Amino acid sequence: IVRDMDTNMYERQHGGDLEVGSYAHRPILMSPDDIPSIAESAQSPTELPFTDDDFDVQMEQALELVPEILRDERVGVRYAINGLLSLTPDGMPILGETPEVRGLWSVAAVWIKEAPGIARTVAEWMTHGTPDIDPHSSDIARFYDHHRVAAHVDARSAEGFNKTYGIVHPMEQWNSNRNVRLSPINTRQRELGAVFFEAAGWERPFWYGANESLLAEYGERVMPRAAEWESRWWSPIINAEHLAMRDRVGMVDLAAFAIFDATGPGATDYLQGLVVNQVDVKVGRVIYTPLLNAAGGIVADLTIIRLGRDHYRVVTGGGMGMRDKKWFIDHLPADGSVQVHDLTSALYTIGVWGPRARDLVQSVTSADLSNAAFPFGTARTVDIGGVRTLMSRISYVGELGWEIYAPMEQGLKLWDVLWAAGQPLGVVAVGIGVYAVTGRLEKGYRAHGNELELDFNLVEAGMARPSVKDADFVGKAAYLVQRASAPAAILCTLTIDDPTSASGVRRYMLGREPITTPDGGFLVDGRGRRSYATSAGSAPSIGKHVLMSYLPPEYAIEGTKLAVEYFGERYPVTVAIVGSRPIFDPENTRIRA
């Protein structure tokens, strides 16, 4: 296949013929109910009458690409059709057991070239629940209700059609059917010049234009980018917000969390049997824990807050929130002793982090927020400026602070109270560019879908704790075997030694690039997996661009010199950290201050 990415076309040899296909014309949507039956179709229900006007421009472009064939007068058009495609709102297949009906499985929107691998994966998934390939991005359970609305499906499928063979940037945003889920502080975000991206339907600030003044304050420490590709959907303001949070205090909108409660007399035993880490802890404790499948693959990672003897709150990422919810529901005990309640649209969350975070929140509450009274890893009910909140002392950016939960309808009030209190302290609104990228990477925090997938295990990820709880849980037997075995790969943090390209421009990787030896040899671990950058981004606090990657053990040695391949060039990298120790504040003194 020759894919002409600039014109959204492909040319493919088929026997003695040349097929020419276009994805550049207008989207022609067809309802499934309107697809003709086999009896009504001359050839196939998926082969509809050709519309010449939709192909004229692309035919001219094909003539330019392969003139030796297409301009030969002996060559004619043998067959022309409009072929039906199954397109979805996010461009991915729809696989897995449906959330609505136990035992009803979907294998839809699959292209023929992927069909054999998907058939094997779904067969493994159906029979023993442990597919070799991680299907989470195609799991039918990933969809929220707003994804299922016909207007959304039509809009995204139409937009996605023209991107099928196009050049799509990793951070490129959907334009259709936006502003579906808005934070209660959306008006404040717009006043601050937020640049939004969409996640699970939520409009999330990537950075805030109002923070442009920070660029002069931090100068070259914002690590400006000159290359156009990696500058798309990025701004040096992200790194300036990062540095201001590290110096003072930042506030992060976290409305996109998926939140649900597990309650009932069997709640403790239920969660003990489901998650890796200990949940039978004191009321008020916050538990960070992975979930495994029976083969020991990593299904998810999330936090659980014990709110009462029979009451736990689960907080997970918005992107896979509904998939995680299905996992919890699927494992509910049959005796009805536990219920799961979805609170995603009922609760709003603000993150307040930085060395002045305690000063900020303490100024608007009478509660004792000292380290002795409110240690790391605990949660308490705290009244803040007339709003009753649940404060959880945890951090995804490696700073002193809290996730603060309140009723959704009181979210604006909570933000305004905290924002006003933070003005004397130099508070900054901080976008998800810091929360999900720079702050996370500096601390070596793993992210589901990047470092954490079924392809890897907790030992390889550097997340195996010194001991394993006595209670049985899903995946425990496999996990014990993994702990007793030498890892096939080890997750490491690497720093870019010199990002200067052959043209003299500094380049910054975006993730998913291959890690190689200095001379370009691929790294392959004991399970036949090649090493690649699972995450990439700036680490402004140390002035480096960093990568995370699973490396074969013989290369997972601090100080090892390797390379990362990017746009056909190799850039020198060094293994800076082996395992989970942070590259910034390695003793975690800031988070526990």
Side-chain angles (χ1 to χ4, degrees):
I1 298 177
V2 176
R3 293 177 180 170
D4 188 359
M5 309 293 278
D6 291 327
T7 57
N8 288 350
M9 298 180 64
Y10 73 88
E11 288 76 26
R12 176 176 63 188
Q13 183 179 352
H14 184 188
D17 295 343
L18 179 70
E19 294 182 350
V20 181
S22 169
Y23 290 84
H25 60 77
R26 66 187 173 97
I28 306 172
L29 301 184
M30 174 170 282
S31 167
D33 293 336
D34 295 333
I35 298 173
S37 67
I38 293 176
E40 296 170 321
S41 305
Q43 296 290 332
S44 164
T46 65
E47 298 182 1
L48 300 181
F50 188 70
T51 52
D52 296 89
D53 292 346
D54 291 312
F55 196 73
D56 287 345
V57 173
Q58 277 66 56
M59 188 61 186
E60 290 297 321
Q61 293 166 335
L63 288 167
E64 294 178 10
L65 183 67
V66 284
E68 297 85 357
I69 298 176
L70 295 182
R71 291 189 184 278
D72 190 324
E73 61 184 17
R74 296 169 297 173
V75 175
V77 176
R78 183 190 303 275
Y79 191 53
I81 62 165
N82 278 353
L84 287 186
L85 297 172
S86 293
L87 295 176
T88 64
D90 60 5
M92 298 299 290
I94 301 177
L95 311 176
E97 186 183 45
T98 62
E100 297 85 0
V101 181
R102 183 68 63 87
L104 176 62
W105 286 71
S106 170
V107 187
V110 178
W111 288 39
I112 189 65
K113 57 190 175 64
E114 285 96 22
I118 285 180
R120 174 177 171 171
T121 295
V122 174
E124 293 169 343
W125 198 0
M126 292 177 69
T127 53
H128 48 75
T130 55
D132 284 341
I133 297 174
D134 193 334
H136 77 267
S137 61
S138 299
D139 193 331
I140 188 173
R142 70 190 183 273
F143 294 117
Y144 289 78
D145 281 346
H146 76 272
H147 289 133
R148 303 166 183 268
V149 176
H152 179 78
V153 174
D154 289 350
R156 290 293 168 89
S157 297
E159 184 180 353
F161 170 75
N162 296 125
K163 296 180 178 181
T164 302
Y165 276 164
I167 300 173
V168 180
H169 191 275
M171 289 301 299
E172 185 169 323
Q173 295 297 295
W174 295 96
N175 293 317
S176 57
N177 203 39
R178 294 291 295 266
N179 295 312
V180 173
R181 305 175 84 183
L182 301 179
S183 165
I185 67 162
N186 182 260
T187 55
R188 299 292 186 265
Q189 293 168 336
R190 294 182 184 279
E191 291 166 0
L192 292 170
V195 175
F196 292 100
F197 76 105
E198 184 225 335
W202 291 97
E203 296 296 327
R204 308 195 72 183
F206 210 174
W207 68 86
Y208 291 88
N211 290 327
E212 186 174 5
S213 60
L214 295 173
L215 298 178
E217 179 179 345
Y218 290 106
E220 287 298 306
R221 293 183 65 197
V222 302
M223 304 173 67
R225 300 179 184 180
E228 189 273 341
W229 181 254
E230 55 259 32
S231 296
R232 295 186 190 182
W233 294 102
W234 181 87
S235 170
I237 294 173
I238 295 171
N239 291 347
E241 291 175 357
H242 174 110
L243 293 167
M245 177 193 70
R246 293 271 190 249
D247 285 348
R248 305 192 285 273
V249 58
M251 289 171 52
V252 185
D253 172 79
L254 297 172
F257 276 155
I259 303 173
F260 35 94
D261 281 7
T263 62
T268 299
D269 290 341
Y270 157 70
L271 290 173
Q272 281 285 67
L274 193 56
V275 309
V276 174
N277 294 334
Q278 179 64 251
V279 300
D280 192 5
V281 295
K282 291 181 178 180
V283 172
R285 289 292 301 176
V286 181
I287 308 117
Y288 168 73
T289 183
L291 278 73
L292 307 180
N293 67 8
I298 304 170
V299 173
D301 71 315
L302 40 80
T303 56
I304 299 175
I305 307 170
R306 190 169 195 179
L307 298 177
R309 188 187 67 176
D310 302 323
H311 185 185
Y312 294 83
R313 178 156 296 162
V314 178
V315 181
T316 188
M320 284 289 109
M322 292 300 96
R323 195 278 318 246
D324 292 350
K325 176 183 171 183
K326 181 179 184 299
W327 187 268
F328 277 85
I329 289 175
D330 285 350
H331 289 85
L332 282 171
D335 61 6
S337 61
V338 185
Q339 295 80 44
V340 170
H341 314 271
D342 189 346
L343 301 177
T344 301
S345 294
L347 294 175
Y348 173 60
T349 312
I350 298 173
V352 180
W353 290 295
R356 304 300 302 276
R358 181 178 286 116
D359 297 334
L360 192 162
V361 185
Q362 188 67 80
S363 69
V364 288
T365 183
S366 60
D368 185 355
L369 304 184
S370 67
N371 192 51
F374 203 152
F376 180 75
T378 62
R380 291 174 51 193
T381 298
V382 176
D383 293 344
I384 297 176
V387 179
R388 177 145 293 180
T389 76
L390 176 68
M391 292 180 62
S392 173
R393 191 170 167 195
I394 193 170
S395 175
Y396 200 50
V397 295
E399 288 289 342
L400 166 68
W402 292 266
E403 290 175 1
I404 306 176
Y405 308 89
M408 189 70 75
E409 71 275 11
Q410 294 181 279
L412 179 59
K413 171 70 171 178
L414 177 62
W415 178 275
D416 285 347
V417 168
L418 292 169
W419 184 253
Q423 295 310 301
L425 304 174
V427 67
V428 292
V430 172
I432 302 302
V434 175
Y435 178 80
V437 184
T438 64
R440 174 178 77 84
L441 285 177
E442 285 191 351
K443 295 301 294 180
Y445 295 153
R446 287 77 167 113
H448 186 264
N450 296 68
E451 292 73 39
L452 306 181
E453 294 185 307
L454 296 183
D455 299 343
F456 302 99
N457 62 55
L458 295 179
V459 176
E460 295 171 331
M463 295 172 61
R465 294 193 172 183
S467 60
V468 180
K469 68 185 183 185
D470 293 335
D472 194 19
F473 56 87
V474 176
K476 182 178 181 178
Y479 178 44
L480 291 173
V481 172
Q482 292 162 359
R483 291 172 63 92
S485 307
I490 301 172
L491 186 58
C492 299
T493 301
L494 300 85
T495 56
I496 309 295
D497 298 331
D498 184 1
T500 307
S501 68
S503 63
V505 177
R506 295 168 69 87
R507 303 303 303 267
Y508 295 99
M509 294 82 226
L510 301 174
R512 299 291 168 175
E513 299 84 7
I515 307 298
T516 72
T517 60
D519 60 1
F522 288 111
L523 308 185
V524 181
D525 71 20
R527 286 201 273 156
R529 301 168 299 191
R530 285 184 174 179
S531 297
Y532 63 91
T534 56
S535 294
S538 299
S541 302
I542 62 170
K544 293 278 191 179
H545 202 71
V546 301
L547 314 172
M548 295 177 73
S549 179
Y550 285 93
L551 303 179
E554 62 268 28
Y555 294 98
I557 301 169
E558 293 183 8
T560 299
K561 299 294 183 181
L562 297 169
V564 59
E565 188 172 300
Y566 186 60
F567 277 87
E569 295 186 55
R570 289 193 297 274
Y571 296 83
V573 301
T574 298
V575 179
I577 298 291
V578 175
S580 59
R581 179 167 52 89
I583 197 169
F584 172 75
D585 187 26
E587 303 304 321
N588 291 315
T589 56
R590 298 169 74 99
I591 198 172
R592 297 180 180 277

